[in-house]
Amino acid sequence: MLLLLLYSLHGSGQALSLKEAVNTGVANYGLVVAKNKYAQAANETVKQTKRDYLPNLNLSAQQDYGTVNGQNGPLYGLGGLGVASSGLPLPEQNWNAAFGALYLVNFNWDFFTFGRMKQRISVAKADATRQQKDYEQELFQHKVRISSAYLNLLASQRLLRSQQKNLERTEVVLKNAAVRVTNGLLPGVDSTLASAEVSRAKIALNQLKEQVKLQNNELVRLMGVAPVDFTADTTLVARVPKAMVTNETPNDSLNPIRQFYQSRINFSNQQVKLFKREYWPTLSLFGVFQTRASGFNADYAQNQNSYTQNYFDGIEPTRQNYLMGVGMVWNLTSIARSSKKVSAQKLITEGFQEEYKAVDLQLKANDDAANVRMDYALQNYKEAPKQVRAAQQAYLQRSTLYNNGLTNLVDVTQALYTLNRAETDRDVVYTNVWQALLMKAAATGDFNLFINEF
């Protein structure tokens, strides 16, 4: 289970590492859990399909009470609703009734289906593979989504901290300006302008607080947990990922997304083979052993009083029969029907192949874009500290000159804005390095390329 440390300082939220977020999300998120269940169900279906090859063995017993009047004439047991009373046709109806019974064992086995049963097992296995690949690609994509949301939260929290610093600086400027205005060293407009800058900084801070909350809630949703404020680990932005330095090249053919789309093609091909097997007949073995009992005696045809209504005499078996054989059933019209199923499934296969091509091209384009983004992210990572240092020096110079009455508030405000922008750029650039690596992992299908950095 996820163990979270509660930050005590200012109730800033629960400390959360990226690995904890990923592990919690894949364990709790409904869609991932559901697809795992579907994959397990498909494996059970494979076992069930294999057992379909077993023969049918039926045991049956019935005990009845009724008459045995017979009549010459044709009869069809439509819907299984006919009565199987047996007796010679007598000149007239009578209502003599006795007990009777039938006990039987029935065995039948479609022992040869021209590969149809074997192909059904292959289809079930292909479907199980498809469901498993669907689960794996959903698991992979969800890990990427959680990581991206985590990095977005990290970036917004760093921006919030920078904006808080900016607010503190504007408040210092306002305080200094107010003192100098009160002492008559500066015009009153400086105090007004400084106050406006404080208000602008507060508005920007509130906007970032809203953004942090939105990013936090998105992460909470992807983790499948109750709403809670998290604090992301900021230590990772202080270094460059090793994979970006070593330029590791994963095997993108193992991309779970590619494998899923390929599994759909394989499943459809197996379906085509199964439909072709339906052209052929079925060979069956069958056998029946039955024993019968009756309260009517053998001379009942000559003497209609020769019967007993005793229950036990009526159900005691006295006659046995057995039957065994082999048969063939071939529905010739199934050839015409199955041929269209084959052609339809082939078109579906072609559609799956086109989808695979589209996804493959998209992943290759994403990989190329990730490589470019990684290169620029590294360059920006090196430049960002230079920009911040220069902006800090400029702000220090302008604020010192202003405090000594050697420049105006507009210059200070401009320097303040430049410093705030530089710090904002730095925060974005630092997280963009990790976002670029995550994009590379997503394009190649190797999440370990990213998560192994933590």
Side-chain angles (χ1 to χ4, degrees), residues 120-144:
R120 285 175 183 167
I121 296 174
S122 297
V123 169
K125 288 181 178 179
D127 184 50
T129 300
R130 178 173 63 96
Q131 295 288 0
Q132 179 64 26
K133 295 303 180 183
D134 188 20
Y135 163 66
E136 291 175 0
Q137 67 92 19
E138 185 64 36
L139 181 66
F140 169 74
Q141 293 199 64
H142 195 61
K143 288 179 179 179
V144 172

Side-chain angles (χ1 to χ4, degrees), residues 8 20 34 36 40 58 73 93 113 116 124 151 165 206 225 235 244 256 268 307 320 326 374 393 395 410 416 431 449:
S8 59
E20 288 174 334
N36 186 26
Q40 294 176 20
N58 302 311
Q93 170 73 29
T113 58
R116 190 157 53 249
L151 293 176
K165 291 180 179 179
N206 288 334
V225 297
T235 60
M244 296 183 69
S268 186
Y307 69 95
Q320 292 80 34
V326 61
M374 289 171 63
Q393 293 175 0
Y395 172 70
V410 175
L416 186 66
T431 53
L449 179 69

